[in-house]
Amino acid sequence: MAHVNPHFQQLPGSYLFSEIARRTAAYQEANPQAALIRMGIGDVTQPLAPAVVEAMHAAVDDLAAAESFHGYGPEQGYGFLRETIAQHDFAARNIAIGADEIFISDGAKSDCGNIGDIFSLDCKVAVCDPVYPVYVDSNAMAGRAGDWDPAAECWTNIYYMPTTAENGFVPALPDQPVDLVYLCSPNNPTGTVLGREALERWVRWANKHDAVILFDAAYERFVVEEGVPRSIYEIDGAETCAIEFRSFSKTAGFTGARCGYTVVPKALVRDGQSLHGLWNRRQCTKFNGASYVIQRGAAAVYTAEGEAQVEATLDIYRANAATIRAGLEAAGFAVYGGVNSPYIWCKTPEGMGSWEFFDLLLNRLSIVTTPGAGFGPAGEGYIRLTAFNSPEATAEAMERIKTHFA
């Protein structure tokens, strides 16, 4: 008899964004005339840059001719993209990352979820709280998380690091043995960043304790303030303790096209094993590589035209974030993030829970947000809003909120 993975059965309820979609669909069905504004799931709304579209069209033409056809590509990614990334994302910032240390994938979410394949099931995992659910759920599915505690709304074998307004959104170093630490900067969901000093502490700690930092830099292109690291490899010693994930989804509009990459330095060794070699083996066994067409489009992001066009789109989202911050503050809310990030973290009205406030905004104002409680215990009492919308819809949402809460 075939048995199912018992760890899946321990997962509580549905995935956060599936529940948001369910409630939103129910509201739309009951209110078909409502002018819904979506500020919940972080999906982009602006089209791909013209340079990217042109490159993809040309790549499709390549596939239409025998002499330029591409079948299976390298599991690690095509050299033209890996080399371009190494030059523009790292060498240009004086970071020594080789093209062969870069693994192209179909997105950072997949890699964040799959990276656990190369680590032992008895590794102790630490996450920030609040946290992007993929970090927790993927480890729960693998069997590392222990048991779900419904009263505490957390897993018994996950080490939760409060990352809140009270500590400046900078998690304290663990006070017990931890093997794998997920850090995200700019942070999802809070929209805050980790400064150089904080990352230096984490790198020193990880190297001292032979831990590995799993650093999610999916939103690094949103950083505008000077001195804020966009890569953990800006920190001396990170190449011996950190794996970095990046994405074209939010920075270049690839949420539907799907492309990202993971950096695994060759200097990163644990148990006498090269993690670079282990990840390469994992990818070669379980992944056939991102498509040729998509990788050509991703490479176009780094051309002069692509760079300017992508930056123009990012400026739209940055302006939206500023509009949201200003609107919420004018309505009397305490808000965080939204400066180096497309996410704004908003405190709910006194005594109101995250899902309760979510329902209020949906049912009274036709605005979809994300309840902070869905990101962990420390997210209770907050909601997350995203800047991924049109300027007009963003301004309208803030007018609705300011009018209702004035």
Side-chain angles (χ1 to χ4, degrees), residues 199-273:
L199 288 180
E200 286 174 344
R201 286 198 302 272
W202 275 106
V203 167
R204 287 195 300 268
W205 173 88
N207 278 320
K208 178 180 178 180
H209 295 279
D210 284 333
V212 174
I213 296 171
L214 304 173
F215 190 75
D216 188 346
Y219 302 94
E220 55 84 24
R221 279 291 295 270
F222 284 90
V223 173
V224 294
E225 292 183 317
E226 291 293 327
V228 176
R230 289 170 54 171
S231 169
I232 197 166
Y233 302 119
E234 294 180 38
I235 309 302
D236 289 342
E239 70 280 358
T240 57
C241 69
I243 293 171
E244 182 166 293
F245 309 97
R246 291 210 188 182
S247 171
F248 292 98
S249 288
K250 311 302 168 54
T251 59
F254 277 57
T255 52
R258 307 308 305 151
C259 194
Y261 66 88
T262 292
V263 179
V264 187
K266 292 182 177 179
L268 181 50
V269 175
R270 293 294 182 271
D271 284 341
Q273 297 289 314

Side-chain angles (χ1 to χ4, degrees), residues 10-13 136-137 145-156 160 377:
Q10 296 189 62
L11 292 170
V136 174
D137 289 359
D147 297 315
W148 174 250
D149 182 342
E153 295 188 335
C154 62
W155 294 89
T156 58
Y160 291 85

Side-chain angles (χ1 to χ4, degrees), residues 263-324:
V263 179
V264 187
K266 292 182 177 179
L268 181 50
V269 175
R270 293 294 182 271
D271 284 341
Q273 297 289 314
S274 164
L275 298 193
H276 177 278
L278 293 179
W279 184 245
N280 184 65
R281 177 59 186 271
R282 188 267 172 208
Q283 293 297 82
C284 289
T285 300
K286 292 188 174 184
F287 186 57
N288 267 335
S291 85
Y292 171 72
V293 172
I294 298 301
Q295 291 190 61
R296 280 295 183 192
V301 170
Y302 297 97
T303 63
E305 297 82 5
E307 181 84 20
Q309 293 161 1
V310 166
E311 196 62 28
T313 297
L314 290 173
D315 282 342
I316 293 174
Y317 297 140
R318 291 176 183 131
N320 286 347
T323 297
I324 295 169

